[in-house]
Amino acid sequence: MSEHDVVLVVDFGAQYAQLIARRVREARVYSEIVPHTITAAEILARKPSAVILSGGPSSVYAEGAPQVEAALFDTGIPTFGICYGFQAMAAALGGTVERTGLSEFGGTSLRVLDTSSCLFSGLPAEQTVWMSHGDSVTAAPAGFMVSAESDGAKVAAFEDGERRLAGVQFHPEVMHSQHGQTVLEHFLFDLAGCQPSWTTANVIDEQVAAIRAQVGDARVICGLSGGVDSAVAAALVHRAVGDNLTCVFVDHGLLRAGEREQVERDYVAATGIRLVVVDAVDRFLGELAGVSDPETKRKTIGRLFIRVFEDAARDLVDEAGETGQSVDFLVQGTLYPDVVESGGGTGTASIKSHHNVGGLPDDLQFSLVEPLRTLFKDEVRSVGEQLGLPAEMVWRHPFPGPGLAIRIVGAVDAERLEILRAADAIVRAETLAAGLDRDIWQFPVVLLAEVRSVGVQGDGRTYGHPIVLRPVSSEDAMTADWSRLPYDVIARISTRITNEVREVNRVVLDVTSKPPGTIEWE
């Protein structure tokens, strides 16, 4: 990272900490998230160009609430506090934070008090920002200029240009703050002096170097799913180690229609990577028989994936003969949202285990290579384009590692998989034909296997399964909203599914946002 600036985002348990890091990267400055337990000395040792203190759910005066070491502000590192980070910064520097009874949540009018402000230079004197606070800074620390206020926060922003310290009570990282990105960039470029030099091309160069340093001359195996995450991860590793990489595609019987053929045909043609296909349908369905609990499904699938990889690795060694190298490394397409939702973020609860994070067995025989672990989905797609992967692979909708198993609410068996596979194929065909593919982030099609409802088809009574349509729009899967598809497209999908999939007699649309719902049902 020495070739460009690095910004450390200190995570105080905010739901938006990852979004802050992403917004910094959108400004072409590299960012990393670090836990609030990091010390000032540890931050200084990392030699960051700037530090951003995130929001968080605590009150700065609550027992056990995370605090900011006052020593951080003596290091000379430019620092920017947001929401809780703003309050913690004020408290550490001798300002006053109080519960005034004037809480603010949601869109709020902000008034800029000083036109010489670095943060608000060139911006309107009044603007809408996104607030979420109960406590307020009522007195800025000595040496700070109060640069903005709101009805509920007499100190809504402050800055000390000489020490290159600043903070805001609102959330500049969310789209609801009208000029939030500009405020953030004023800190990065004008106050901290960062240069906008980081791009996805940097990711490729840095990750290739990191992979070579980690792997050396060892052999590497990669579980390829056909999705953009594993495809990009494998392409990066292939660039680093060449023929020492073998990709393994596991047909676990939980795939969508045509996926095995697409991977065998398209990916190999695009990359030249050696691919081994393992037929493990019976093994997976046997282990999943009668299992309906979603977490048990995920962990079972994750464990079996690793066992299949270990078997494939032994086969590769046997193939090479007695002098063959062992396969010591496993490539995973783990993304940052996977890590966060599995409780691997800092200060975040586990929402669900991901098969490549929370579902790995304790006796894993491989060392993991995870070149995408700090990236968001849009960044991964950009890397994929830089690597020359086919557009249909780069822009494929996210698909969970456990496959259709977690889109069947209930136990998984071959018959239920065929029902869901047929309905899913219709949905994909119709959205593609309508030109909506790029407008939808992800489109889970869910079979409620344990539910039946009365219907009428061909003048006869039916007792069939419901299918749930779950189209969502999102930037990074951390939050999502349901996609407002045209009614005629929904109607065509519904008609085709109930006409062509005889076991289904009802199609419903899920209109829940995330939060409170997750994107997948299980």
Side-chain angles (χ1 to χ4, degrees), residues 144-195:
F144 280 78
M145 172 185 74
V146 178
S147 51
E149 67 174 6
S150 67
D151 289 344
K154 61 186 290 189
V155 181
F158 58 41
E159 53 196 86
D160 181 340
E162 186 174 332
R163 288 193 288 171
R164 298 193 295 172
L165 305 175
V168 295
Q169 180 60 68
F170 60 92
H171 287 277
E173 71 276 15
V174 303
M175 69 173 89
H176 307 292
S177 291
Q178 282 181 325
H179 303 282
Q181 185 69 11
T182 303
V183 170
L184 184 59
E185 290 178 6
H186 280 167
F187 166 72
L188 292 171
F189 303 140
D190 301 334
L191 204 63
C194 295
Q195 296 299 313

Side-chain angles (χ1 to χ4, degrees), residues 279-318:
D279 188 336
V281 175
D282 293 341
R283 187 172 177 181
F284 275 81
L285 294 190
E287 290 263 0
L288 290 170
V291 177
S292 57
D293 177 71
E295 275 297 279
T296 305
K297 284 184 195 175
R298 287 177 178 272
K299 291 183 182 299
T300 298
I301 293 166
R303 174 175 52 78
L304 283 177
F305 256 105
I306 298 302
R307 297 305 174 229
V308 171
F309 288 142
E310 289 172 343
D311 292 345
R314 279 192 289 270
D315 290 344
L316 290 173
V317 172
D318 291 343

Side-chain angles (χ1 to χ4, degrees), residues 74-92:
D74 296 326
T75 61
I77 301 170
T79 302
F80 185 53
I82 294 175
C83 196
Y84 179 87
F86 170 67
Q87 295 172 3
M89 184 177 187

Side-chain angles (χ1 to χ4, degrees), residues 58-83:
S58 303
S59 167
V60 291
Y61 293 124
E63 186 177 349
Q67 303 294 326
V68 179
E69 275 190 88
L72 172 64
F73 307 110
D74 296 326
T75 61
I77 301 170
T79 302
F80 185 53
I82 294 175
C83 196

Side-chain angles (χ1 to χ4, degrees), residues 385-462:
E385 289 181 324
Q386 292 270 342
L387 290 169
L389 296 182
E392 56 270 21
M393 187 166 286
V394 171
W395 290 98
R396 177 183 185 258
H397 285 179
F399 187 63
L404 296 179
I406 59 167
R407 293 182 177 177
I408 295 175
V409 180
V412 178
D413 60 33
E415 181 184 0
R416 289 173 173 180
L417 284 164
E418 283 307 313
I419 295 170
L420 181 53
R421 200 172 278 126
D424 177 84
I426 291 169
V427 169
R428 287 192 288 155
E430 289 297 334
T431 51
L432 187 62
L436 297 171
D437 209 43
R438 295 267 184 111
D439 298 330
I440 303 168
W441 167 269
Q442 196 168 347
F443 200 154
V445 179
V446 181
L447 172 65
L448 303 184
E450 308 293 345
V451 177
R452 287 182 179 268
S453 64
V454 174
V456 56
Q457 290 169 301
D459 296 326
R461 180 183 184 277
T462 62

Side-chain angles (χ1 to χ4, degrees), residues 22 28 30 38 74 77 120 164 185 195 198 246 288 313 315 330 336 338 350 362 373 402 404 425 439 458 463 507:
R22 180 187 162 139
R28 297 182 60 198
Y30 183 74
I38 192 170
D74 296 326
I77 301 170
F120 300 101
R164 298 193 295 172
E185 290 178 6
Q195 296 299 313
W198 183 80
T246 299
L288 290 170
D315 290 344
L330 170 64
Y336 198 78
D338 299 338
S350 176
D362 295 333
R373 190 179 175 87
L404 296 179
D439 298 330
Y463 198 50
V507 176

